[in-house]
Structure formats: structure tokens, C-alpha cells
Amino acid sequence: MDAQMKRGMVEVCILSLLTREDSYGYQLIKDVEPIMTLSESTLYPVLRRLEGAGCLTVYSVEHNSRLRKYYAITDEGRKRIADFMAEWADVKRVYDFIAEVSGNGNKAFVHSADNG
């Protein structure tokens, strides 16, 4: 998978998890585990990038005498999800076209070449 596409998917997956409730790094890794493997070395730069883009905010809560960073989605983060979903609809149309054409022996391309 293209690195840029994967990066965008990781960002949107994290933001989507945060629509359910605020969370912290380790919990986010566990929550995303059913669909992808995500390491701390991947997650924390993504969280910093999303914070810098205004897609999430960070606050600390004391837990077992230590401060734990929690992440909360912002309106900008919700907009990023909506934008991704709109773009993904376009990508899916292209994917469906490729699957259909290649499944039909490239008839669409042969037909257009015959007319050209």
C-alpha cells in the first residue's frame, strides 16, 4: 500500500476512535489492533501531527500517581474524517471500475480502442 495512503488511513482511524471517547496512546493502539498493527513509534508522531493540524487536543489526567496524556477530537478532526470519506468514495469508484473492467477481460478498453 502506498505510504501516503496508509498514513492518511492511520490518521483517520485514530480520529475515528476519538469520536467515541477521549483516549490515551496505549489504549488507541489496543483499539485499532483488530484492523491494523500500530506501534508506539508510529502512533505518537501521528498524534503530534494531528495536534499540530488542530485535529485533536491534548490534556493530562493523573492515573496511578502519574500523568497520562489524553487526546480529544476537535471540529477540525471531524472535518478531516468527513473529507477522507468523501475522497474515499472517489477512490472506491475508481477501484470498482478497475475491478469491473479487468474482470470483463478489458472489454471497455478494447471497445474504446476500436472506436478511436
Side-chain angles (χ1 to χ4, degrees):
M1 180 183 298
D2 177 67
Q4 280 297 105
M5 183 180 284
K6 186 173 182 176
R7 182 179 130 184
M9 287 184 178
V10 169
E11 290 178 358
V12 175
C13 284
I14 297 304
L15 290 170
S16 295
L17 287 170
L18 293 172
T19 63
R20 291 194 270 174
E21 65 182 340
D22 297 356
S23 193
Y24 55 97
Y26 180 72
Q27 187 62 51
L28 289 168
I29 289 171
K30 286 178 58 178
D31 289 345
V32 80
E33 211 169 62
I35 59 163
M36 70 175 64
T37 302
L38 192 61
S39 66
E40 288 182 25
S41 62
T42 300
L43 175 67
Y44 289 105
V46 168
L47 291 170
R48 283 191 295 275
R49 196 166 45 247
L50 290 170
E51 182 184 12
C55 294
L56 54 83
T57 59
V58 182
Y59 62 93
S60 296
V61 173
E62 189 173 327
H63 177 76
N64 292 337
S65 301
R66 297 179 60 203
L67 289 179
R68 178 183 279 171
K69 278 186 173 181
Y70 275 80
Y71 301 89
I73 193 167
T74 63
D75 288 341
E76 184 62 31
R78 292 178 194 284
K79 182 181 178 310
R80 173 83 58 100
I81 294 170
D83 291 348
F84 176 87
M85 295 303 290
E87 290 173 15
W88 191 251
D90 292 341
V91 170
K92 183 167 178 354
R93 276 193 294 279
V94 171
Y95 173 87
D96 289 345
F97 172 79
I98 292 168
E100 180 183 337
V101 169
S102 65
N104 289 326
N106 294 325
K107 290 177 187 173
F109 291 112
V110 171
H111 178 71
S112 65
D114 291 342
N115 292 333

